[in-house]
Amino acid sequence: MEIWINPACSKCRGALTLLDAEGAEYTVRRYLEDVPSADEIREVLGRLGLEPWDITRAQEAEAKELGVKEWPRDAEGRDRWIEALAAHPKLIQRPIITAEDGTAVVGRSEEAVRDALSRR
């Protein structure tokens, strides 16, 4: 199990606390420092069953500067979104937990983190 975190994020810290309380084995990836490649983002999106716009933090200043709210949300525009996430990792929703069964969840709630834990 791997968890993508921003240490400054309270949701990330909460997810780590819950994982520790449950005795889970996991690897931490500080994705702002160890930035995922476009291919890694594609792989995580496949595991999540989501599209890149579903995990984009559209309220971030960088998102507003890029104008992502105006970007098409379709197959032709998908790569543009993924490249933007790779170039601006701050836009990636967090935390993302990749479960051992090959799936992943966005662990913003205790319920989502427990869901990832149940997939061990």
Side-chain angles (χ1 to χ4, degrees):
M1 183 179 296
E2 181 176 79
I3 181 169
W4 292 8
I5 68 155
N6 173 351
C9 169
S10 63
K11 299 284 187 185
C12 294
R13 292 191 307 271
L16 291 173
T17 298
L18 182 55
L19 292 174
D20 289 342
E22 294 294 325
E25 291 184 27
Y26 61 90
T27 303
V28 170
R29 180 171 187 170
R30 293 177 178 219
Y31 70 93
L32 297 178
E33 299 162 17
D34 182 8
V35 179
S37 68
D39 285 340
E40 287 175 304
I41 293 169
R42 281 185 193 88
E43 194 249 328
V44 144
L45 287 167
R47 292 176 79 164
L48 288 165
L50 297 174
E51 292 297 337
W53 45 84
D54 296 326
I55 65 162
T56 299
R57 297 173 56 85
Q59 297 305 317
E60 290 286 337
E62 289 177 42
K64 291 177 181 177
E65 288 171 22
L66 292 170
V68 298
K69 283 189 175 185
E70 309 307 318
W71 292 4
R73 296 176 180 219
D74 57 21
E76 292 84 41
R78 189 171 196 267
D79 281 341
R80 181 182 186 188
W81 285 84
I82 290 169
E83 294 298 331
L85 293 173
H88 307 275
K90 191 180 234 183
L91 300 182
I92 299 171
Q93 189 59 264
R94 61 195 183 242
I96 293 177
I97 304 169
T98 56
E100 293 175 22
D101 71 352
T103 62
V105 299
V106 178
R108 293 195 55 79
S109 68
E110 181 177 331
E111 182 178 88
V113 176
R114 290 194 182 283
D115 182 32
L117 283 166
S118 74
R119 300 176 188 198
R120 290 196 257 187

